[in-house]
Amino acid sequence: MARIGIMGGTFDPIHLGHLVTAEEARWQLGLDRVIFVPNRHPPHKDPGEVTDPEHRFRMTFLATATNPYFDVSREEIDRPGPSYTVDTLRVFRARFAGVQLFYITGADAIHQILRGEWHRTEELLRLCEFIAASRPGYALNHEDWQNSRIGREYRHRIHVLEIPALAISSTEIRWRVRNGKPIRYLVPEAVEQYIVKHNLYREGEGTA
Ligand code: NAP
């Protein structure tokens, strides 16, 4: 059975930590491909807090262009309103009938899922398995599982991957640009050039 990874995120901007995560998930879980899905409006954030979705989509496209196993989808970018992951997974489930789907995201998101904070949590876990990417030392612990509000029958559908390169964060990259510090080797060269060309992450620039 084919196996597809769906890499959800705000990607503001996409960085090498995201790319290493997707590649590692592909390799460790034997995925045939990974589809990056930048969101339009993350449900847990104010729309004014994030950079224009088209900029984030284009940077994601540039960053993934040279990997033959990576694709980028406009599924959330083109859908108005908050980007609920359950809506996206319903679409992918219907599009890829008979394929095993894995949603890859950060460990913070998985903590929220375990606490039942996402829209239609158990439906999410029926639609696909989850891969929680975390930097070493931040993975889920025994208490997180014990206090989890999701049914025991779903817990084996969450996999944890430790990714040292996730020490890089989008927040830090935005901070570095704002403060005139280099971001070379933290993001792909094409993304760095895009940020400079469009003057992103300078005070008051680029937000939706
Ligand atoms: P976030 O809350 O800004 O990020 C939390 C942490 O996870 C950050 O350290 C972040 O690093 C990391 N992270 C995010 N996506 C990652 C990925 N694909 N791989 C590895 N690390 C990742 O995260 P977000 O990007 O806004 O949300 C993640 C996804 O969950 C998005 O697609 C969002 O739409 C979805 N979401 C859905 C619901 C819902 O349906 N109710 C609620 C919340 C989030 P960086 O800052 O460096 O990316």
Side-chain angles (χ1 to χ4, degrees):
M1 186 191 280
R3 294 156 77 88
I4 293 181
I6 300 167
M7 177 83 174
T10 305
F11 304 129
D12 192 15
I14 190 163
H15 54 68
L16 293 191
H18 296 128
L19 297 167
V20 170
T21 298
E23 185 63 10
E24 190 65 18
R26 185 182 78 74
W27 186 75
Q28 284 203 27
L29 286 118
L31 308 178
D32 297 289
R33 53 197 271 236
V34 177
I35 305 173
F36 286 66
V37 186
N39 56 33
R40 177 180 195 84
H41 167 194
H44 57 315
K45 291 177 188 166
D46 179 339
E49 253 182 78
V50 294
T51 304
D52 182 320
E54 286 300 335
H55 282 315
R56 293 185 287 105
F57 173 81
R58 286 185 216 141
M59 289 190 281
T60 306
F61 185 86
L62 288 170
T64 54
T66 56
N67 186 322
Y69 298 104
F70 290 174
D71 286 312
V72 187
S73 164
R74 291 190 60 92
E75 185 55 44
E76 292 191 352
I77 296 284
D78 290 340
R79 192 171 70 220
S83 307
Y84 289 115
T85 303
V86 71
D87 296 335
T88 308
L89 291 178
R90 283 179 189 146
V91 169
F92 279 95
R93 187 66 286 162
R95 189 175 297 161
F96 297 110
V99 169
Q100 206 171 348
L101 296 179
F102 295 83
Y103 188 79
I104 310 164
T105 189
D108 295 17
I110 304 293
H111 281 113
Q112 293 161 7
I113 290 174
L114 285 179
R115 293 195 297 263
E117 289 171 7
W118 278 25
H119 196 48
R120 304 190 64 92
T121 303
E122 294 202 343
E123 181 181 348
L124 280 167
L125 285 155
R126 280 196 298 276
L127 285 166
C128 75
E129 300 192 32
F130 277 74
I131 301 176
S134 78
R135 60 196 73 127
Y138 285 81
L140 305 173
N141 61 33
H142 184 64
E143 252 178 37
D144 295 323
W145 292 106
Q146 283 248 292
N147 300 334
S148 165
R149 298 180 59 189
I150 61 167
R152 287 193 175 276
E153 68 274 31
Y154 296 112
R155 297 185 188 182
H156 69 281
R157 292 174 68 78
I158 298 178
H159 312 266
V160 178
L161 278 192
E162 283 202 347
I163 311 284
L166 269 182
I168 304 172
S169 76
S170 298
T171 307
E172 193 197 339
I173 288 167
R174 295 194 301 273
W175 179 86
R176 291 183 75 86
V177 174
R178 207 163 43 244
N179 290 284
K181 293 181 182 288
I183 56 167
R184 197 174 209 179
Y185 308 128
L186 298 176
V187 299
E189 203 176 332
V191 171
E192 183 186 358
Q193 289 167 353
Y194 188 95
I195 290 171
V196 172
K197 176 172 173 183
H198 294 277
N199 204 21
L200 301 183
Y201 308 123
R202 302 279 171 187
E203 218 54 68
E205 296 289 338
T207 44

